[in-house]
Each structure stands twice: as C-alpha cells, then as structure tokens.
Amino acid sequence: KKKGWWCYMKRTVFDYSNLRGEIKKKYNKLEDLASDIGVCPSTLSTKLANGTSFSNDQISKIVKCLNLSFDNIPLLFFVQKL
C-alpha cells in the first residue's frame, strides 16, 4: 500500500518551557490546570510532551486561566524546539 505525502513530513516540535513556567507560577499541580480547562491530566501532559497538539479552545482556556494576555500565545505555544 502506498503511503500519503503526509507520512514524509517532519512534525513540528514545540518548546513549552515558557508555558510550563507560567503554569508553575499559578498552579501547584498540573492536574489543577487540567481540571480548570476540562481535560484529563494525562491529556495535558501528553500535549506538553508534544504527543498531540493543543486545540484553539484549549489555548484560549489556558491563557485565561493563567491570567495572561492573548499577546503571549506565540511565546507560550509556538516556540519551535531546535
């Protein structure tokens, strides 16, 4: 069976260290943020480990929970790992 072109594309990996820093400032446990945005803790951990992508809705909820400006989104969610 022939593979599609998407099988050959390199997946973008993001550096969430800025996001993790902001989470630690406001939350004692990752589980608390997960609860506030309506996802399982394992789902949030997987996203922070680049296993799956954050949805627009999740990004918006996280920014609101952290009391940050939407101007911070690129720095928190879209810094590529080198």
Side-chain angles (χ1 to χ4, degrees):
K1 186 174 177 181
K2 192 172 183 178
K3 293 182 180 180
W5 59 268
W6 58 88
C7 294
Y8 301 100
M9 290 183 62
K10 187 175 179 183
R11 193 170 160 283
T12 303
V13 177
F14 294 105
D15 177 359
Y16 293 120
S17 59
N18 294 325
L19 177 57
R20 286 180 179 277
E22 291 297 330
I23 292 169
K24 285 181 182 178
K25 287 180 190 176
K26 172 119 179 162
Y27 289 92
N28 291 323
K29 296 186 291 185
L30 199 58
E31 292 83 5
D32 296 334
L33 174 60
S35 175
D36 283 354
I37 65 169
V39 299
C40 295
S42 61
T43 299
L44 182 55
S45 292
T46 299
K47 291 177 183 298
L48 289 169
N50 280 282
T52 57
S53 300
F54 286 97
S55 70
N56 291 342
D57 187 52
Q58 290 166 339
I59 290 172
S60 177
K61 287 178 180 178
I62 290 169
V63 170
K64 288 177 184 175
C65 286
L66 297 176
N67 296 318
L68 298 172
S69 165
F70 284 97
D71 293 337
N72 291 311
I73 288 175
L75 181 63
L76 298 173
F77 293 94
F78 297 106
V79 174
Q80 292 186 23
K81 272 192 177 178
L82 302 177

